[in-house]
Amino acid sequence: MSETNYLELRKITKVYPNGVIANEDVNMVLQRGEIHALMGENGAGKTTLMKILFGIEQPTSGEIYLEGQKIEIHNPLDAISKKIGMVHQHFMMDENLTVTENVILGMEPTKGLSLDTKKAREMTMEIAKKYNFKITPDKRVMDLSVGQKQKVEILKALIRGAQLLILDEPTAVLTPQETEELFEQLKILRDEGHTIIFISHKLNEVKHICSRATVLRGGKSVGSHDLKDISLAELSKLMVGRDVVREIEKQKAKPGDAVLEVKNLKVLNDELVQVVNDVSFKLRKGEILGIVGVEGNGQRQLIDCVTGLESEYQGEILIDGKVCAHSNGVKQRRDAGLNHIPEDRLTYGVIANATLLENLISNTYDKKENNKGIFMDDKKNSDRVTDLISRFQIKTDSKHTLVRMLSGGNMQKVVAAREMSTDMSILVADQPTRGIDVGTESFIHDRLVEMRDKGVAVLLVSADINEVMELSDSLIVFYEGEITAYFPDASKVTEEELGLYMLGLKKMKDEEIAEVAK
Amino acid sequence: MTTKKVTEHSQDELRSQIMRIEFFFEFLRTVLSIVIALGIVLVIVAFITDDPLKAIQTLLMGPLKSVRVFGNVIELAIPLTFCGLAITVIFSSNRFNMAADGAFFVGGLAGACAALAVPDAPFMVKLFVGLSAGFGTGMIIGLIPALLNRFFGAWELITSLMMNYAYGFFVRYVLNRVIRNKDSISIESHPFNVDMGKLFTGTRIHYGLIIVLVLAVLVYVFMYKTRWGYALRVTGKSEKYATYSGIKTGIVILGAQVMGAAIAGLGGAVEMFGLYQTFRWTASQGYGFDGIIISTLARNNPLFVPISAFFLSYLRIGADVLNRSSDIPAELMSAIQAVIILLIAAKAFLSGYKQKAIVKQSQKFAAQGGEAE
Ligand SMILES: Nc1ncnc2c1ncn2[C@@H]1O[C@H](COP(=O)(O)OP(=O)(O)OP(=O)(O)O)[C@@H](O)[C@H]1O
Ligand SMILES: [Mg+2]
């Protein structure tokens, strides 16, 4: 290119306060109007690099050039004034405020001394319309689906005039439809001259939407590539440093007796709407049962009841034929052999302000074999944690590091390691590989299949429909709080067919659905 | 395989070097905070007296003036440690129940009343009954705000502070109407005849010192070495996560508040039997609130609580001596305390230098091939 580069990062190095070198002499060049992928394994330093660009972290050394000018970005306000916007891996919004309030936060139009609500709403609608975003300006953010939340985050950046948009794993939480929608919007933005940095672990998405990619490995940049010239296999080899096999190998399931039984489950939400409506099914030993459905059709509430997090429900949940308690029911279910990888890793999956060790022993600390009389067996706990860290390839400098200092994918590995490593009869795996890189993803998939083969019953939920279809032995579809389809053999279903059920365009006969409760 | 071992090993080494740097800066920061705070005092004092250096000297060295005065430091550190431990336990459940203050106060009364109720019992029985009464009273006082929160959602901070106010009236009522010695000219109870005895002659340091040091170790062991302590720490850090892990958070939170306040209640009774012959408190000593400062300074580690209690006590006694030997008001001490505590608690202080030291170490290490694959 003859013209000057839009943005250039030169020899960026970042050493965190605890001594971790997250970036080392990283170079990255962006042209105006491109969608540029930033790729790398979990903990490679992608988020760190972007935080530096957005002024959240300060580089230890290195330079940033914007349109040929050397700039310094001391804080996010600086970044915004230079027309840089960022949507974080873990959203940063006030969940109690409405969409409008979040979008205009910090730049509120005023009338005299008070907020001009009408104007604020107009501004929000205007920008949403300009970029063809469908949003509900008066809804509280906590009532939105993740996909909608993400749109709000993007709007927040756009309304502040962002020309460069950093999206840190935007699709990790999206369903395929939502991803498709997002891509359409990104293309519009690109065509308008916006530049976008796109972080994702999903190679085909990257290939689909991006023109060039910069790859990080172990904190160093290993080059930028035109995506036209490089195959997916080559790309993943660049990231990991070895060939990655992504095929899930599995034999046909040999399901045994039912271990989990859900009988006539009904749940009302806070607005007294019936979100789960008379759902019954059985989960059998040695089987992976996948739940698919567009988000917000009651799957969340179902999982919360099954795992005991939600106590307000009607109907019965049985493990090994024994009815589970409604309130304070988590312990009982865990003791009965139910493990749970929760969807929201920051709220339920980890304690960010505790060490890896403290996080990794929370489901075993009270077991007899891990205690000596009244004392915890520190050595045993510590050995176990060391083993988990190496087996699940959690990238950390020590087991005494706080979990909040881990990269997003590594936090997820902490959750997976803990919940997949004890004896259990049921595993509820809700988005088990969210934000995890390709290498570790296949490791976790293999483990899931292996556990199934050992007789564990797995209830799988994932926004990634390909993941559910590939892993599951049988499938149920959720639509408006009901099971609308049951496929005893998941390999016989096509994505199109599932789509029809997911959107409520088709529904099986009651007898067919009732099979799942037999 | 061998290369991997080497990497792991050097990672550990880097880690321990970094920990050394962190420790060094923590130490440096504490010392510097104190020096800076004293500098500020020096300036203030210079305005008030003609001989500021002498004043500073009295403040710093005053407590070492005589065995008796130094004894006062230890003597004051005992109740402060009790309350510091109480607050450490309560706050680790992430509930800001201020019951410790009321518990200490009423615990003293309960100890005295219990001893008065069994006037003819042998000494050990009386002591045991009295200490148990203090402990039990503390439990109840901690339980009230906890229950109000559990069933009505009332905020512990508010209810406990309000209750502390009510306890003042309660104690004065009991003292005046129930246990007051009508023959005495001052407001006090009959003698309860439980004297724990002094540890060292020439001082008033009593056996409460032993009790509280043992207690500090016990609290530490409980919080960091047992599964119940683990459950408590997890609950305090994230209630949602604790629920998800199957911890019965309701009981844990309640338990921490009850146990914490019980420690304060016990402290009240120990204080009573260690220092007094008759009950004569008409107002709270306020040690419960000092407990917050102490617990913060100790970084919520029970083992550091006695040390930070000693530190605070030393400052107090120094101010006391200074106050008696000059025209400087003891209230000035409150200001100095505030400065020192602010500086110690402020994480950012010196953190820039710390960061630079760590970065240097880490990069030097990487250059040596510590990161080699
Ligand atoms: N605040 C922090 N303090 C210390 N170390 C940190 C901190 N944040 C990140 N790290 C470390 O820096 C490294 C890079 O982390 P980063 O979050 O940039 O990875 P990432 O490439 O975004 O990974 P992921 O794909 O998992 O999101 C990791 O080893 C991580 O543990
Ligand atoms: Mg990241």
Side-chain angles (χ1 to χ4, degrees):
Chain A
M1 296 249 166
S2 55
E3 60 205 291
T4 50
N5 300 318
Y6 176 52
L7 184 96
E8 199 179 337
L9 301 175
R10 264 189 223 160
K11 299 196 97 163
I12 300 282
T13 294
K14 171 70 187 176
V15 185
Y16 274 113
N18 60 358
V20 169
I21 306 179
N23 289 150
E24 203 178 343
D25 291 338
V26 172
N27 297 311
M28 183 171 177
V29 177
L30 292 180
Q31 309 300 339
R32 187 181 280 283
E34 71 168 338
I35 303 184
H36 190 110
L38 181 58
M39 312 186 66
E41 288 185 292
N42 293 135
K46 306 179 293 293
T47 299
T48 303
L49 189 65
M50 292 302 103
K51 280 184 176 167
I52 290 171
L53 186 52
F54 193 57
I56 297 174
E57 295 286 353
Q58 293 306 308
T60 309
S61 62
E63 293 163 348
I64 303 174
Y65 292 85
L66 186 70
E67 298 180 309
Q69 298 282 313
K70 183 163 180 234
I71 57 166
E72 278 183 25
I73 306 171
H74 298 288
N75 51 50
L77 283 180
D78 254 2
I80 290 165
S81 75
K82 302 199 163 69
K83 300 195 183 313
I84 299 172
M86 178 161 177
V87 176
H88 298 274
Q89 191 166 6
H90 303 116
F91 294 155
M92 301 189 175
M93 278 191 284
D94 191 326
E95 300 257 318
N96 288 311
L97 299 184
T98 65
V99 170
T100 301
E101 285 162 343
N102 263 294
V103 170
I104 56 143
L105 196 67
M107 47 181 296
E108 298 88 346
T110 49
K111 201 159 60 184
L113 279 176
S114 66
L115 173 71
D116 187 345
T117 6
K118 198 160 148 263
K119 179 96 184 295
R121 202 167 175 283
E122 273 167 22
M123 280 164 61
T124 309
M125 288 310 284
E126 191 185 336
I127 190 105
K129 207 156 151 203
K130 180 167 169 206
Y131 294 104
N132 197 16
F133 280 50
K134 292 187 208 73
I135 53 155
T136 44
D138 302 321
K139 253 200 180 167
R140 275 179 206 287
V141 166
M142 58 186 178
D143 298 325
L144 300 183
S145 71
V146 238
Q148 288 167 315
K149 280 184 195 170
Q150 187 157 61
K151 286 184 191 151
V152 178
E153 285 276 18
I154 297 177
L155 282 180
K156 262 170 70 182
L158 291 175
I159 202 168
R160 286 163 178 75
Q163 282 298 316
L164 171 63
L165 201 55
I166 304 165
L167 303 177
D168 195 353
E169 295 194 31
T171 56
V173 292
L174 299 187
T175 60
Q177 295 90 333
E178 286 170 325
T179 302
E180 221 22 73
E181 211 177 314
L182 174 71
F183 284 176
E184 288 313 311
Q185 276 145 359
L186 294 188
K187 282 180 196 154
I188 297 176
L189 286 170
R190 176 194 60 195
D191 296 342
E192 287 221 342
H194 289 82
T195 310
I196 295 165
I197 300 179
F198 181 82
I199 301 181
S200 172
H201 291 291
K202 299 178 187 166
L203 298 179
N204 35 10
E205 285 180 6
V206 166
K207 189 96 180 170
H208 175 71
I209 185 114
C210 303
S211 51
R212 283 189 325 131
T214 297
V215 180
L216 298 182
R217 187 160 89 220
K220 298 181 184 140
S221 42
V222 290
S224 293
H225 295 267
D226 210 313
L227 285 165
K228 278 198 294 296
D229 311 335
I230 189 166
S231 73
L232 290 185
E234 284 169 312
L235 205 55
S236 50
K237 192 167 176 190
L238 265 180
M239 287 197 296
V240 189
R242 60 184 159 79
D243 289 315
V244 189
V245 197
R246 272 210 72 200
E247 286 295 298
I248 297 174
E249 276 180 45
K250 69 172 199 199
Q251 313 285 311
K252 211 163 160 41
K254 300 183 198 70
D257 301 334
V259 270
L260 174 77
E261 194 176 349
V262 174
K263 269 191 193 162
N264 307 103
L265 186 75
K266 292 183 187 141
V267 186
L268 294 178
N269 70 3
D270 294 343
E271 279 120 41
L272 299 181
V273 177
Q274 189 99 36
V275 281
V276 177
N277 193 1
D278 204 7
V279 163
S280 305
F281 68 90
K282 276 185 183 166
L283 177 67
R284 291 169 297 172
K285 274 186 196 150
E287 168 190 62
I288 301 178
L289 176 64
I291 299 184
V292 291
V294 176
E295 185 173 311
N297 276 286
Q299 310 95 305
R300 180 92 309 107
Q301 287 80 1
L302 168 79
I303 295 296
D304 284 352
C305 295
V306 168
T307 54
L309 285 174
E310 173 67 66
S311 54
E312 304 282 319
Y313 61 84
Q314 290 181 336
E316 277 182 351
I317 290 164
L318 300 97
I319 295 179
D320 286 326
K322 276 203 276 302
V323 181
C324 296
H326 282 233
S327 55
N328 269 327
V330 179
K331 183 75 189 145
Q332 186 201 9
R333 288 162 169 85
R334 280 193 176 268
D335 286 343
L338 181 142
N339 281 6
H340 176 204
I341 299 176
E343 176 222 14
D344 186 343
R345 64 173 167 241
L346 275 186
T347 311
Y348 288 108
V350 296
I351 316 181
N353 269 327
T355 64
L356 264 100
L357 187 121
E358 286 171 315
N359 272 279
L360 282 167
I361 64 170
S362 69
N363 59 347
T364 50
Y365 77 98
D366 60 347
K367 298 248 158 62
K368 223 193 198 122
E369 67 268 23
N370 295 323
N371 286 277
K372 286 190 204 142
I374 63 166
F375 300 113
M376 296 204 284
D377 190 338
D378 287 343
K379 170 113 188 12
K380 212 160 176 182
N381 283 334
S382 163
D383 287 349
R384 191 165 164 271
V385 166
T386 308
D387 174 55
L388 286 180
I389 289 174
S390 80
R391 261 203 299 148
F392 282 79
Q393 299 148 40
I394 301 171
K395 193 174 173 239
T396 175
D397 56 331
S398 128
K399 53 180 167 278
H400 303 293
T401 299
L402 296 181
V403 162
R404 75 177 150 79
M405 293 178 176
L406 296 185
S407 77
N410 281 298
M411 280 186 203
Q412 184 69 26
K413 290 188 210 168
V414 170
V415 184
R418 188 186 58 224
E419 299 300 321
M420 292 173 73
S421 59
T422 60
D423 284 335
M424 71 193 101
S425 54
I426 305 168
L427 176 65
V428 177
D430 200 347
Q431 323 280 0
T433 58
R434 166 176 294 185
I436 280 187
D437 61 40
V438 275
T440 321
E441 185 185 67
S442 55
F443 168 76
I444 288 183
H445 285 168
D446 290 346
R447 284 283 299 143
L448 280 174
V449 173
E450 196 182 303
M451 283 165 51
R452 178 203 75 168
D453 293 342
K454 285 202 186 120
V456 175
V458 181
L459 191 61
L460 177 70
V461 188
S462 173
D464 183 347
I465 197 162
N466 294 320
E467 180 175 41
V468 193
M469 286 181 64
E470 278 176 53
L471 273 175
S472 305
D473 302 311
S474 48
L475 286 170
I476 50 184
V477 182
F478 251 69
Y479 181 71
E480 295 197 331
E482 292 178 18
I483 297 177
T484 55
Y486 168 54
F487 301 98
D489 186 349
S491 63
K492 299 228 171 75
V493 200
T494 62
E495 199 177 328
E496 288 71 39
E497 199 177 349
L498 272 184
L500 294 178
Y501 288 103
M502 284 167 69
L503 296 174
L505 300 172
K506 247 177 116 176
K507 187 175 181 214
M508 281 188 180
K509 286 202 227 41
D510 287 345
E511 308 90 77
E512 285 174 284
I513 296 169
E515 280 298 309
V516 70
K518 284 252 165 69
Chain B
M1 207 53 227
T2 37
T3 41
K4 184 143 181 273
K5 277 265 156 57
V6 171
T7 322
E8 259 167 33
H9 176 74
S10 38
Q11 274 288 356
D12 280 354
E13 190 167 311
L14 174 62
R15 175 86 201 166
S16 71
Q17 279 171 2
I18 288 174
M19 267 165 67
R20 231 171 292 149
I21 296 176
E22 275 173 350
F23 182 81
F24 172 72
F25 274 95
E26 194 81 339
F27 180 75
L28 193 66
R29 194 175 61 177
T30 310
V31 172
L32 270 183
S33 322
I34 296 171
V35 171
I36 293 175
L38 291 175
I40 296 173
V41 181
L42 192 67
V43 174
I44 300 173
V45 173
F47 282 111
I48 309 178
T49 74
D50 307 326
D51 195 353
L53 279 179
K54 169 112 190 311
I56 287 285
Q57 199 194 356
T58 315
L59 180 68
L60 287 187
M61 306 311 278
L64 300 177
K65 195 171 64 171
S66 69
V67 175
R68 195 185 52 80
V69 181
F70 188 71
N72 288 344
V73 175
I74 306 286
E75 177 193 316
L76 176 61
I78 296 170
L80 289 180
T81 307
F82 269 110
C83 289
L85 290 173
I87 293 287
T88 302
V89 172
I90 295 175
F91 282 17
S92 66
S93 71
N94 201 24
R95 295 301 167 106
F96 299 98
N97 185 339
M98 299 295 170
D101 198 62
F104 185 87
F105 185 30
V106 187
L109 175 74
C113 289
L116 285 170
V118 285
D120 302 322
F123 168 76
M124 282 313 275
V125 173
K126 264 181 151 175
L127 182 67
F128 180 77
V129 171
L131 294 184
S132 310
F135 192 83
T137 307
M139 288 174 81
I140 297 169
I141 288 179
L143 184 65
I144 295 170
L147 285 181
L148 286 174
N149 176 268
R150 181 105 191 244
F151 293 112
F152 304 107
W155 198 15
E156 296 93 340
L157 178 68
I158 308 292
T159 48
S160 59
L161 285 174
M162 281 167 47
M163 291 300 294
N164 284 346
Y165 202 66
Y167 296 137
F169 289 103
F170 174 73
V171 172
R172 284 191 288 278
Y173 172 82
V174 174
L175 176 55
N176 270 316
R177 298 297 170 94
V178 185
I179 59 170
R180 180 165 177 187
N181 181 357
K182 302 270 166 16
D183 302 331
S184 169
I185 36 164
S186 59
I187 304 176
E188 60 180 342
S189 70
H190 290 278
F192 39 70
N193 293 325
V194 189
D195 185 357
M196 289 209 291
K198 306 295 174 238
L199 266 178
F200 307 103
T201 42
T203 70
R204 299 207 304 162
I205 303 172
H206 51 85
Y207 278 93
L209 179 65
I210 310 278
I211 300 181
V212 82
L213 290 179
V214 171
L215 195 64
V217 174
L218 286 181
V219 172
Y220 172 79
V221 168
F222 170 77
M223 281 184 54
Y224 290 92
K225 299 288 166 197
T226 72
R227 48 189 180 279
W228 306 287
Y230 173 81
L232 170 58
R233 285 183 293 127
V234 166
T235 306
K237 281 183 176 168
S238 165
E239 228 172 295
K240 282 194 168 148
Y241 180 84
T243 309
Y244 154 84
S245 304
I247 293 170
K248 302 231 159 76
T249 53
I251 306 275
V252 171
I253 290 170
L254 219 67
Q257 296 178 62
V258 169
M259 286 314 294
I263 290 173
L266 176 67
V270 167
E271 182 83 344
M272 201 42 61
F273 299 146
L275 291 182
Y276 301 88
Q277 275 75 48
T278 60
F279 184 84
R280 49 177 60 188
W281 289 344
T282 52
S284 157
Q285 320 292 95
Y287 296 149
F289 298 103
D290 295 329
I292 302 171
I293 301 174
I294 291 162
S295 160
T296 311
L297 284 184
R299 303 260 190 275
N300 298 316
N301 182 338
L303 288 184
F304 295 157
V305 166
I307 301 170
S308 63
F310 173 80
F311 174 68
L312 188 66
S313 171
Y314 193 96
L315 280 180
R316 287 262 162 91
I317 300 293
D320 215 35
V321 176
L322 179 60
N323 177 239
R324 265 182 278 131
S325 63
S326 73
D327 46 357
I328 298 169
E331 283 77 18
L332 185 60
M333 266 336 283
S334 309
I336 299 165
Q337 272 172 34
V339 174
I340 295 181
I341 288 154
L342 266 179
L343 286 171
I344 294 183
K347 283 227 157 71
F349 182 47
L350 286 184
S351 72
Y353 293 100
K354 182 172 95 182
Q355 160 90 46
K356 268 190 200 129
I358 292 178
V359 166
K360 227 167 95 191
Q361 191 64 37
S362 187
Q363 281 179 327
K364 195 172 97 200
F365 214 78
Q368 283 168 1
E371 294 251 312
E373 279 166 45

